[in-house]
Amino acid sequence: MNVDIQDEGDSGSGQAVAFTIAEYEEVHVLHPQQIIAYQGPSSGRADRFMDVKGMYRKRKLIRADMSGPCRFVAALPPGYRIKTLQLDGKSDLLYDFRHLFFYSKGITMQTRVLSVKNMFITKDTVKVKFSGKGSIGILTEGTVCEATLHPSEPLFIDAGSVIAYPENAKLELTVYGNHLASQHMSYHWKMTGQGPVLFQAGRQSRRFERDTNDEDGIFKRFLREVLPFGGVFIK
């Protein structure tokens, strides 16, 4: 399978992703409505109802199973990107299932239930661990960055920006910095352990655009910055 990401470099336009599937290959697309062009036999696409777990985790009913030989193009809305990852069967990373756009034949999934505290803060119930050899496509907002965990020196990452982290990682929801910094930042994961962490760099762009185009006046902006979690409660 070959995945060709076509990007014109314009942040205001969407991204096109061209798939070339060879004979005997198969890829499962979890957003079939984004397929805008297809070349191949009509039998090469079979839409199916997802199982109960898939429906719950993805909040969707149908996936498209694309069998080769065929070619098709999927379109993404502005601000979204796809990161293709090759798995060799040895990865222990945990992912948010909602970020999954496609996965190839041979990839299986296992769920990991989060603690009640983390469920409440992140509004996530489970994470997914992929097994097997093949490819997966992760849907992200902006560029995907990677950092390496240390067993004792913590890494702080915005909780909503994390895409994947090692199963062995120790996580704690927290804030950091001095009093003014910690009272108006969003929750961060404090992580230690071994292995890579993937996170998306575009999630903060909406807040940045709001702040730079803010027409609410200096008083409201002052309250957002000074009051604890003012950026959350004062819109």
Side-chain angles (χ1 to χ4, degrees):
M1 180 180 69
N2 180 63
V3 181
D4 181 21
I5 299 177
Q6 303 171 13
D7 193 342
E8 298 297 331
D10 182 359
S11 60
S13 62
Q15 184 183 66
V17 185
F19 294 78
T20 302
I21 312 299
E23 190 173 6
Y24 304 117
E25 290 184 334
E26 184 175 345
V27 61
H28 310 291
V29 180
L30 302 187
H31 294 268
Q33 73 278 5
Q34 300 305 124
I35 298 175
I36 59 172
Y38 172 81
Q39 184 178 38
S42 179
S43 59
R45 173 173 173 169
D47 286 13
R48 309 181 188 281
F49 285 103
M50 299 177 68
D51 58 26
V52 175
K53 288 183 179 180
M55 291 180 185
Y56 173 75
R57 293 181 298 198
K58 197 67 178 175
R59 274 69 167 179
K60 289 187 175 293
L61 299 177
I62 296 175
R63 77 179 192 206
D65 295 343
M66 313 296 290
S67 301
C70 72
R71 298 177 62 194
F72 65 93
V73 176
L76 302 182
Y80 287 90
R81 297 291 183 266
I82 283 184
K83 174 69 173 179
T84 302
L85 302 173
Q86 299 292 329
L87 303 184
D88 59 3
K90 300 178 182 179
S91 174
D92 69 339
L93 294 182
L94 301 181
Y95 295 80
D96 186 337
F97 190 76
R98 290 174 296 179
H99 288 152
L100 185 63
F101 189 85
F102 74 85
Y103 63 99
S104 64
K105 185 178 180 180
I107 296 294
T108 59
M109 290 170 272
Q110 300 174 322
T111 58
R112 297 291 187 269
V113 180
L114 300 180
S115 67
V116 175
K117 176 184 177 182
N118 291 348
M119 286 182 194
F120 177 76
I121 297 296
T122 65
K123 298 180 174 59
D124 288 332
T125 305
V126 298
K127 294 294 183 183
V128 175
K129 180 179 179 180
F130 296 103
S131 302
K133 296 182 179 181
S135 303
I136 63 173
I138 301 299
L139 191 65
T140 71
E141 296 182 64
T143 303
V144 175
C145 304
E146 181 175 330
T148 302
L149 291 181
H150 188 276
S152 58
E153 297 179 6
L155 174 67
F156 297 89
I157 303 179
D158 177 80
S161 298
V162 175
I163 297 173
Y165 56 85
E167 187 173 15
N168 69 73
K170 181 180 179 181
L171 286 76
E172 178 184 348
L173 280 169
T174 185
V175 291
Y176 67 94
N178 66 3
H179 180 69
L180 185 59
S182 62
Q183 72 178 4
H184 70 81
M185 70 169 52
S186 58
Y187 276 105
H188 282 57
W189 285 117
K190 177 182 177 182
M191 297 184 176
T192 54
Q194 295 181 330
V197 178
L198 303 179
F199 55 98
Q200 54 190 346
R203 188 175 180 272
Q204 302 298 326
S205 60
R206 287 172 294 186
R207 180 174 180 180
F208 179 80
E209 291 175 0
R210 185 195 69 188
D211 290 343
T212 55
N213 298 310
D214 194 355
E215 299 178 355
D216 290 333
I218 188 65
F219 181 68
K220 203 171 201 180
R221 293 179 64 184
F222 175 78
L223 292 179
R224 283 201 194 108
E225 296 297 329
V226 174
L227 294 179
F229 302 103
V232 176
F233 297 109
I234 299 177
K235 303 300 183 180

